[in-house]
Amino acid sequence: MAELGRRDVNGNDMIENLIAARKSLKLSLEKSKALGFSLEKAGPRLDEINRRLPSLEAAVRPIRADKEALIAAGGHINRAIGPAAAVLKVFDAVHGLEKSLSDPRNNLPGYLSVLKRLEEALRFLGDNCGLAIQWLDDILEYLEDNVMADEQHLLNLKKSLKGLRESQSDDERARLDGGLLNAALDKLEGEFRRLLTEHSVPLPMSSSPDLGEQAVIAPSLLPVSVIHKLQAILGRLRTNNRLEKCISIYVEVRSLNVRASLQALDLDYLEISIAEFNDVQSIEGYIAQWGKHLEFAVKHLFEAEYKLCNDVFERIGLDVWMGCFSKIAAQTGILAFLQFGKTVTESKKDPIKLLKLLDIFASLNKLRLDFNRLFGGAACIEIQNLTRDLIKRVIDGAAEIFWELLVQVELQRQIPPPPDGNVPILVSIITDYCNKLLGDNYKPILNQVLLIHRSWKHEKFQERILVSEVLNIVKAIELNLETWTKAYEDSILSNLFAMNNHYHLYKHLKGTKVGDLLGDSWFREHEQYKDYYAAIFLRDSWGKLPGHLSREGLILFSGGRATARDLVKKRLKNFNEAFDEMYKRQSSWVVPDRDLRDKICQQIVQAVVPVYRSYMQSYGPLVELDGSSSKYAKYSVQTLEQMLSSLFLPKPGRYASFKGRQLSAKFNNGVADLHRTTSAVV
């Protein structure tokens, strides 16, 4: 029993051991499964670690570097951190200024102050970015030399530094602020334009061509406060290389203002081309306007712009504001004024053109000091050249026409005289012409023109030369009249022509500057000639009519009433035929001077009508009872007087100027263009 008990006890122990072993095996199996599962999950992680080992090795490489190399690297890093941190700090400050740069109109001084701070910050960024890049270059070089970084890492760092270095170019540095400075400057330019536009007001002017009252109008300059603002804006924009844009804006706005001021003057005539008119007379009125308009534009508009340019741009420099003024003047009309004058000089040569050229010279000479002051700078070289060219053309043209006048008068001598006995246009123009040339208005100008023209040729000029030339022209006219008087086949018409022209010279030169030079004896001679030819004209024409109304044979006639009637009829018939023939012929003749015409007509009436009246009173009844009385008593006394009183009236449509028939080779080569028509003398 005891042994059985011991076996039972040992058996239990074995069972327990087996159970324990089973549990242990089961636990080991579970651990093995867990370990297998863990190993299965750890595989990818191990692969990842394996891939990262090279970079980890590179990252910890500095730890394996020499102690001295590590210490040196720290110093390089510390030197680079300072500039880099400062750059970042200023960069943040730059963007903090954006809210303060909203609108310069509200607070221009504040806006300019903030803008100046922005410029300073950007300069700091530009300068210190370069310094930071330089220190980073040093670090890169040190790491590379001491093999303290991976090659790929070094390549990436080099690429980043290259981009930073490229950002140091002028164009890229402007982007350091993200375009904030450019936007702020654009607003400032807009404010510059606004200030100019809102305070540029055209002059209030009348459209009347008489600008005499305009002299009292003060130019509408900008207020001083506005000028100060413009100057402040210019200072900032000039600092940022935007001066040319400001000048462009200024020229645009002020040019529009000047053109608006000139619109009331109606300056369309300045655009007339040489092809649009045939002679100076067609634009004679425009030339007078041109002088007034030019004077007004120079003394008021351009003078005001000149002063304003100086006020606005004086802090920048003479060249700048003179260049600005030059552009305004060129764009607003001064070149057009000069071109119009040039067009006049290029028109056909005509005696009346001499007076117009003298008018142009007088206008330019009157403004000479103003031109020299306003347009004397280097910036106005184009205006100077055009002005000098115009003055030369005017002087050359006026001198050439003047010295050619005598030749042209002599050439007219070959032309037939007027068929109506009138005063030739040549004579009427030249007499008036000579009076004007020696008058107070033109003589000083012509003297100056001829003096300058002679000086260009290194020749002397004295006033007596001008007087002598004018007197020679008058003498040439007298020779022309003598030649023309002899050219008529009809001696009666020749006498009428001589009477007309001698009286014309007497009347139109008496009491003039030319007349004073000719003397009293010259006028007495022409007055006597006038009376002489008038007397011969009356004697040889109308003075013969009363002879047809002779009373001879009628008182003593004893042949009866019928015979007396036949004799009266015959004499009235002869009278009527002679009267009709003479009236028909002379009805186309002309006595242009009204006083002389009235006097001649009255003398004709006195020579014919009283004799006719008396004859008709005495013998008219002899024919009035005859059935054919109207054939012989053709005119009543009143009708006869009216017809004779209406003789010699001027005919409309005469030419107002003369032009030469043929020219010398010199004038055919472009110096003059004085072609004539056959009727030019008429």
Side-chain angles (χ1 to χ4, degrees):
M1 289 298 290
E3 290 180 1
L4 181 58
R6 284 194 299 269
R7 285 196 301 268
D8 291 341
V9 172
N10 290 336
N12 291 332
D13 290 339
M14 289 178 64
I15 291 173
E16 291 177 358
N17 289 335
L18 288 172
I19 293 172
R22 183 176 65 82
K23 289 181 179 179
S24 177
L25 288 173
K26 185 178 181 181
L27 181 60
S28 297
L29 181 60
E30 290 177 354
K31 287 182 178 181
S32 296
K33 289 180 178 180
L35 180 60
F37 181 74
S38 297
L39 289 173
E40 184 179 354
K41 292 178 61 177
R45 295 178 61 191
L46 290 173
D47 292 338
E48 182 181 355
I49 291 172
N50 189 49
R51 286 194 302 270
R52 295 178 59 187
L53 280 176
S55 60
L56 291 173
E57 181 182 3
V60 299
R61 186 174 299 168
I63 301 175
R64 294 186 282 112
D66 294 338
K67 182 179 179 181
E68 295 178 358
L70 290 172
I71 294 173
H76 283 286
I77 293 172
N78 289 335
R79 283 193 295 271
I81 288 175
V87 167
L88 291 174
K89 183 177 180 180
V90 173
F91 188 78
D92 291 337
V94 164
H95 288 278
L97 297 175
E98 185 172 1
K99 295 181 180 180
S100 301
L101 293 171
S102 57
D103 188 357
R105 181 174 184 173
N106 298 330
N107 181 9
L108 181 61
Y111 189 93
L112 294 174
S113 177
V114 174
L115 184 58
K116 185 176 181 181
R117 288 165 54 195
L118 175 59
E119 294 169 11
E120 293 171 350
L122 291 177
R123 280 196 298 271
F124 179 87
L125 285 176
D127 296 339
N128 286 275
C129 278
L131 181 61
I133 291 171
Q134 187 176 8
W135 286 116
L136 291 173
D137 274 331
D138 290 343
I139 294 175
L140 177 60
E141 182 179 354
Y142 185 84
L143 294 176
E144 191 173 19
D145 291 344
N146 292 275
V147 195
M148 297 179 66
D150 181 66
E151 291 183 2
Q152 186 62 41
H153 181 74
L154 292 176
L155 288 174
N156 292 336
L157 187 55
K158 287 180 179 179
K159 184 177 180 181
S160 299
L161 288 177
K162 181 181 178 181
L164 289 174
R165 278 192 294 270
E166 291 176 351
S167 70
Q168 293 302 290
S169 65
D170 292 338
D171 292 339
E172 293 297 328
R173 290 180 70 176
R175 301 177 187 173
L176 290 174
D177 62 342
L180 179 59
L181 178 61
N182 281 334
L185 294 174
D186 289 342
K187 290 181 180 180
L188 205 55
E189 286 179 356
E191 178 64 6
F192 187 83
R193 179 185 291 274
R194 185 193 68 81
L195 287 170
L196 275 176
T197 303
E198 291 187 0
H199 295 88
S200 294
V201 181
L203 294 184
M205 296 189 299
S206 169
S207 60
S208 171
D210 185 5
L211 298 176
E213 298 180 358
Q214 296 293 141
V216 301
I217 298 179
S220 179
L221 296 175
L222 302 184
V224 175
S225 60
V226 173
I227 292 177
H228 289 165
K229 290 181 179 180
L230 294 175
Q231 290 175 336
I233 293 174
L234 280 171
R236 290 266 54 85
L237 292 175
R238 182 191 185 193
T239 301
N240 289 277
N241 299 319
R242 293 207 179 192
L243 180 59
E244 288 302 322
K245 184 62 180 298
C246 285
I247 292 176
S248 176
I249 293 173
Y250 185 90
V251 170
E252 176 190 346
V253 174
R254 292 305 300 178
S255 294
L256 288 173
N257 190 69
V258 174
R259 284 197 291 268
S261 298
L262 290 172
Q263 282 181 351
L265 299 182
D266 190 14
L267 300 179
D268 291 343
Y269 67 87
L270 294 179
E271 303 300 325
I272 293 178
S273 66
I274 187 66
E276 292 182 87
F277 61 90
N278 296 321
D279 52 50
V280 173
Q281 286 185 334
S282 62
I283 59 168
E284 186 174 357
Y286 290 141
I287 296 175
Q289 287 184 348
W290 177 86
K292 295 178 181 179
H293 292 163
L294 177 62
E295 181 178 0
F296 177 78
V298 169
K299 287 186 173 294
H300 297 278
L301 298 178
F302 294 136
E303 177 72 31
E305 294 305 319
Y306 180 86
K307 292 179 179 179
L308 187 58
C309 281
N310 182 24
D311 292 341
V312 174
F313 294 96
E314 63 176 342
R315 298 178 183 177
I316 298 178
L318 177 64
D319 293 342
V320 173
W321 73 261
M322 279 299 295
C324 189
F325 168 72
S326 172
K327 292 177 182 177
I328 293 174
Q331 293 182 17
T332 55
I334 188 63
L335 299 182
F337 276 108
L338 298 176
Q339 180 58 47
F340 176 84
K342 181 182 177 182
T343 301
V344 175
T345 65
E346 293 174 342
S347 63
K348 294 180 181 179
K349 293 291 190 292
D350 191 289
I352 193 64
K353 181 178 175 179
L354 171 56
L355 301 180
K356 299 301 103 183
L357 291 177
L358 294 179
D359 288 338
I360 291 176
F361 178 83
S363 296
L364 293 173
N365 192 52
K366 185 178 181 180
L367 298 172
R368 179 170 54 87
L369 296 179
D370 298 284
F371 263 74
N372 291 340
R373 180 171 51 83
L374 298 179
F375 310 116
C380 298
I381 188 66
E382 181 182 9
I383 298 175
Q384 295 169 27
N385 290 338
L386 288 176
T387 303
R388 282 193 291 266
D389 178 67
L390 174 57
I391 292 174
K392 187 177 188 307
R393 286 172 175 269
V394 168
I395 291 176
D396 286 342
E400 288 163 3
I401 293 175
F402 176 76
W403 295 119
E404 184 65 14
L405 280 176
L406 179 59
V407 176
Q408 293 302 316
V409 171
E410 293 172 345
L411 286 174
Q412 295 286 321
R413 199 171 299 160
Q414 306 172 29
I415 307 301
D420 58 1
N422 204 339
V423 176
I425 286 294
L426 170 69
V427 177
S428 60
I429 284 183
I430 288 297
T431 51
D432 181 60
Y433 204 68
C434 291
N435 284 333
K436 289 183 177 179
L437 292 181
L438 293 186
D440 295 336
N441 292 333
Y442 284 108
K443 184 179 179 182
I445 304 172
L446 182 56
N447 271 329
Q448 188 175 359
V449 166
L450 296 178
L451 175 64
I452 295 173
H453 190 258
R454 285 290 184 95
S455 69
W456 289 347
K457 297 182 177 181
H458 306 288
E459 299 174 354
K460 293 183 178 180
F461 174 78
Q462 296 178 345
E463 184 176 336
R464 62 180 178 82
I465 298 177
L466 170 59
V467 173
S468 176
E469 188 69 11
V470 171
L471 292 179
N472 287 337
I473 292 173
V474 175
K475 292 178 182 178
I477 287 291
E478 291 181 292
L479 289 176
N480 285 14
L481 292 178
E482 183 178 341
T483 301
W484 289 331
T485 300
K486 296 176 181 178
Y488 285 102
E489 294 181 0
D490 187 334
S491 61
I492 298 177
L493 179 58
S494 174
N495 293 329
L496 180 75
F497 172 81
M499 175 196 70
N500 279 334
N501 285 274
H502 283 291
Y503 183 70
H504 179 87
L505 293 179
Y506 172 84
K507 182 176 182 179
H508 289 272
L509 293 179
K510 185 76 173 176
T512 66
K513 299 288 185 180
V514 177
D516 294 342
L517 296 172
L518 292 170
D520 292 338
S521 61
W522 187 90
F523 285 100
R524 283 195 299 270
E525 180 180 349
H526 281 279
E527 186 176 27
Q528 290 171 359
Y529 274 130
K530 181 264 297 182
D531 293 338
Y532 170 76
Y533 286 111
I536 294 180
F537 168 76
L538 287 171
R539 184 196 67 188
D540 293 346
S541 57
W542 299 101
K544 293 182 178 181
L545 279 181
H548 293 287
L549 300 177
S550 172
R551 297 171 181 263
E552 183 179 354
L554 292 177
I555 299 177
L556 300 176
F557 188 81
S558 58
R561 185 179 182 88
T563 304
R565 183 187 304 113
D566 292 340
L567 187 57
V568 169
K569 286 182 178 180
K570 180 179 179 181
R571 291 177 178 175
L572 283 175
K573 179 181 179 182
N574 291 337
F575 174 86
N576 290 336
E577 290 176 351
F579 176 85
D580 289 344
E581 187 277 331
M582 193 172 300
Y583 184 83
K584 180 180 179 180
R585 181 166 45 142
Q586 296 192 18
S587 62
S588 62
W589 295 358
V590 172
V591 177
D593 185 83
R594 181 176 181 177
D595 293 337
L596 180 60
R597 182 172 64 252
D598 291 344
K599 182 177 180 181
I600 291 297
C601 288
Q602 185 62 33
Q603 289 176 348
I604 294 173
V605 168
Q606 291 175 356
V608 176
V609 173
V611 175
Y612 184 76
R613 179 188 296 110
S614 175
Y615 194 83
M616 293 303 293
Q617 287 174 349
S618 299
Y619 306 110
L622 291 175
V623 297
E624 287 175 354
L625 298 177
D626 191 273
S628 59
S629 62
S630 60
K631 180 178 178 181
Y632 303 101
K634 186 175 181 179
Y635 300 106
S636 67
V637 174
Q638 293 79 4
T639 300
L640 196 69
E641 183 173 358
Q642 289 175 357
M643 292 175 68
L644 294 175
S645 299
S646 63
L647 283 170
F648 312 126
L649 292 173
K651 307 300 186 296
R654 299 181 70 219
Y655 288 88
S657 63
F658 78 91
K659 298 180 181 179
R661 181 180 64 127
Q662 103 185 55
L663 306 173
S664 63
K666 171 185 175 184
F667 274 70
N668 276 328
N669 288 332
V671 178
D673 186 2
L674 293 167
H675 305 291
R676 79 170 293 283
T677 60
T678 303
S679 58
V681 178
V682 178

